[in-house]
Amino acid sequence: MSKIFIPTDRIGLESIQKSISNTSKVLNELLKRGVRIKWHLNGLCFEKTSIWPEGHYYQCGFSTENNEEIIELLRSYGMIWETVEAVRDTKMEITASRIALYNGRGAGADFSAPLIEVLEQGGFSFTQLDDHEIREGKLSHFDIFLVPGSPDAGECYYAGLGKAGYEKIREFLSGSGQYFGICGGAYLPLTSYDTQNPYWLDIVEATDTEGLDYWRTGSGFVRCRIEDNQNPIFSSVALGGSSSLNLVYWEGPSITIKGEGVRSLARFESLLASGSGPIKPYWDLMDNKMAEEAVKKYYNPLSSETFNSLLLNRTAFAEAEHCGNRILLFSPHPEMGNIGYATRKDSLNFMLIFNGLNYLSCR
């Protein structure tokens, strides 16, 4: 029986699809309808397709059953899709997951708001949990715990959650829960080797050697070099043997890996711009107010000297495993979008959020 294939190739700094967010919306709508979706990575060659009868190569995409109801949904969103006789099998099948978004004292409003916006644009259903609800054990009703950036490197989480809340998170991750932390949220699962820092969960074999001194870096635009371009989080983003990412960075962890249970996925490569000295951005940041804030208004600009001393070649994106569950740690801010080459809406960097959640939803 023929299949529908939805390509998600990267074309320059854009997607082959007209809208990155609409692609995610369609996938989430199909999952809500109980439709099975397979995720295909790392290149596919088709001998014949409905658009390319002579055959075609696609970088990546999703496949599902072929029926009129699905086709009508794809048409309504202006999607590009193919009808193919067969698709190479894959173990990557996305399932509908219950996402808990942390919204307690440790969640910085400036960082939560853009993340919520991206989730809504991508059609993800999620429930916000505060500190009290986590302490009550409600996290156990979810599959993924998504933790946005925070005002510091961890003490604000503890101020809201306390020992009981931390223990509930550990129980969640020791059971069947997956974790996704961005910036401050990437600090939380780290291991502290300092008795004066009881504010991390001590779950993953990685640390930040500067401990709680989050302001020692600052904010700016950074380039990260992808190390594992076949990891699902970089699908539709990485292309070829060498790929990089340009992102907003805002005092996130400089991750040092200490054990085999953690893999570095991308490293800090260079500082592109900040509000410091001669490296202020000279280009139009268009509608991205958060990017503008990071390099023009924030009191703590990231300098070249500080970048080279504390971030250069350190891990910026990492994946860890705990009790068979995945933990994703992103130090920069993909949810803040691009750094000026196009409007923020439908930024290619949003794919890192969508891919991360899809990856954690694969069973």
Side-chain angles (χ1 to χ4, degrees):
M1 183 178 178
S2 64
K3 297 284 187 180
I4 288 174
F5 180 74
I6 304 169
T8 56
D9 293 24
R10 191 198 87 188
I11 309 295
L13 294 175
E14 299 178 349
S15 170
I16 191 173
Q17 298 290 346
K18 294 178 181 178
S19 168
I20 290 171
S21 296
N22 279 353
T23 303
S24 180
K25 275 186 180 178
V26 166
L27 295 174
N28 280 308
E29 177 59 31
L30 291 174
L31 289 174
K32 291 172 185 175
R33 297 181 185 185
V35 176
R36 295 183 66 182
I37 299 174
K38 294 291 189 76
W39 192 4
H40 302 271
L41 309 169
N42 305 321
L44 300 92
C45 288
F46 294 99
E47 293 184 3
K48 181 180 180 180
T49 75
S50 53
I51 298 176
W52 304 95
E54 73 276 22
H56 200 66
Y57 171 85
Y58 283 110
Q59 300 162 20
C60 49
F62 300 88
S63 67
T64 187
E65 60 193 80
N66 183 6
N67 65 49
E68 284 302 318
E69 184 180 355
I70 294 176
I71 289 174
E72 182 58 33
L73 178 67
L74 295 173
R75 285 197 183 114
S76 70
Y77 278 93
M79 298 288 295
I80 297 170
W81 78 92
E82 291 268 28
T83 302
V84 295
E85 290 303 316
V87 186
R88 185 184 67 209
D89 195 24
T90 174
K91 295 180 180 179
M92 301 286 287
E93 180 172 346
I94 302 174
T95 60
S97 291
R98 299 164 297 175
I99 301 170
L101 175 66
Y102 177 65
N103 189 30
R105 181 170 181 176
D110 291 340
F111 303 127
S112 295
L115 181 57
I116 289 172
E117 181 184 17
V118 172
L119 293 175
E120 291 175 343
Q121 287 179 1
F124 288 92
S125 297
F126 59 94
T127 300
Q128 298 187 52
L129 293 186
D130 62 24
D131 296 315
H132 179 70
E133 290 169 317
I134 292 173
R135 287 167 59 85
E136 284 186 329
K138 292 186 178 180
L139 194 55
S140 63
H141 303 309
F142 296 87
D143 304 303
I144 298 171
F145 187 34
L146 177 58
V147 182
S150 68
D152 55 44
E155 57 266 37
C156 59
Y157 295 120
Y158 190 81
L161 290 162
K163 287 186 178 181
Y166 272 36
E167 190 55 37
K168 291 299 181 182
I169 296 173
R170 292 189 182 100
E171 289 175 7
F172 172 76
L173 296 176
S174 297
S176 59
Q178 320 283 325
Y179 184 94
F180 191 168
I182 302 170
C183 191
Y187 274 110
L188 186 57
L190 297 180
T191 294
S192 170
Y193 299 95
D194 181 357
T195 57
Q196 297 183 61
N197 175 11
Y199 302 116
W200 296 346
L201 291 171
D202 296 341
I203 284 178
V204 302
E205 294 179 290
T207 192
D208 185 322
T209 56
E210 298 296 314
L212 300 174
D213 187 15
Y214 68 92
W215 57 83
R216 88 283 186 192
T217 53
S219 64
F221 298 160
V222 298
R223 176 167 293 158
C224 296
R225 178 62 53 183
I226 296 173
E227 294 183 280
D228 182 2
N229 65 355
Q230 295 188 353
N231 189 284
I233 70 167
F234 299 127
S235 177
S236 310
V237 178
L239 184 60
S242 178
S243 291
S244 60
L245 304 163
N246 296 336
L247 301 127
V248 176
Y249 169 82
W250 211 312
E251 300 173 335
S254 176
I255 301 170
T256 297
I257 294 173
K258 293 288 190 177
E260 296 181 357
V262 188
R263 290 190 298 131
S264 179
L265 304 179
R267 294 183 181 274
F268 292 105
E269 181 177 81
S270 59
L271 175 61
L272 301 177
S274 82
S276 175
I279 54 174
K280 295 180 180 180
Y282 55 84
W283 59 90
D284 184 4
L285 298 179
M286 306 181 81
D287 67 338
N288 196 335
K289 300 302 181 183
M290 283 160 288
E292 184 177 12
E293 178 80 17
V295 294
K296 292 186 177 181
K297 299 179 181 179
Y298 193 55
Y299 78 96
N300 189 22
L302 176 60
S303 68
S304 296
E305 293 77 14
T306 299
F307 178 89
N308 292 336
S309 173
L310 297 177
L311 294 175
L312 180 61
N313 293 325
R314 302 283 186 91
T315 294
F317 291 77
E319 178 183 352
E321 183 177 304
H322 180 72
C323 296
N325 302 315
R326 297 186 182 110
I327 295 175
L328 295 179
L329 306 177
F330 291 6
S331 179
H333 285 278
E335 78 282 9
M336 291 189 178
N338 60 58
I339 61 170
Y341 53 80
T343 57
R344 179 174 178 271
K345 183 181 180 181
D346 256 356
S347 168
L348 187 67
N349 287 342
F350 292 171
M351 286 299 306
L352 299 172
I353 304 295
F354 300 156
N355 286 343
L357 292 171
N358 287 336
Y359 182 36
L360 296 180
S361 297
C362 286
R363 299 290 185 264

